[in-house]
Amino acid sequence: MATGETGFSDVIFDLVSVQYHSLKAGHDYGQYVRDARNAGYDDVASFFEQVMKEDSERAARCHDLLRELGSKEDVGSTSS
């Protein structure tokens, strides 16, 4: 696998990045849901809940792919 500036494969870095951003966004969306509910916008709250669910599924898929890659090759740092 090609390695980027981090010393990890580009694919591993990309998956970790997507996973991180999905988890971070999911955390933030919880506040958005509360804001919408408090304002009486249940339809908007439902939209944010759906987006949060999609990001959670995306993060879980990244986790699965990282695990699969880990069983196929060394996913740790490539620097000595």
Side-chain angles (χ1 to χ4, degrees), residues 33-47:
V33 170
R34 288 187 294 278
D35 292 346
R37 292 243 187 266
N38 290 339
Y41 297 115
D42 289 339
D43 55 339
V44 175
S46 294
F47 168 75

Side-chain angles (χ1 to χ4, degrees), residues 1 8 16 22 32 37 43 45 56 58 64 68:
M1 282 188 174
F8 286 83
V16 169
S22 295
Y32 303 167
R37 292 243 187 266
D43 55 339
S56 178
R58 187 172 296 112
D64 293 342
E68 288 174 25

Side-chain angles (χ1 to χ4, degrees), residues 5-78:
E5 294 155 359
T6 64
F8 286 83
S9 80
D10 291 341
V11 172
I12 298 300
F13 180 87
D14 297 345
L15 284 168
V16 169
S17 180
V18 169
Q19 184 179 42
Y20 167 79
H21 289 288
S22 295
L23 291 170
K24 174 73 171 94
H27 177 268
D28 294 343
Y29 295 146
Q31 181 62 51
Y32 303 167
V33 170
R34 288 187 294 278
D35 292 346
R37 292 243 187 266
N38 290 339
Y41 297 115
D42 289 339
D43 55 339
V44 175
S46 294
F47 168 75
F48 288 138
E49 287 171 336
Q50 178 61 37
V51 171
M52 186 168 34
K53 180 179 180 277
E54 291 167 2
D55 270 326
S56 178
E57 291 168 353
R58 187 172 296 112
R61 182 66 177 133
C62 285
H63 185 78
D64 293 342
L65 290 168
L66 286 164
R67 186 180 4 217
E68 288 174 25
L69 288 175
S71 69
K72 292 178 184 176
E73 54 192 276
D74 181 16
V75 295
S77 176
T78 58

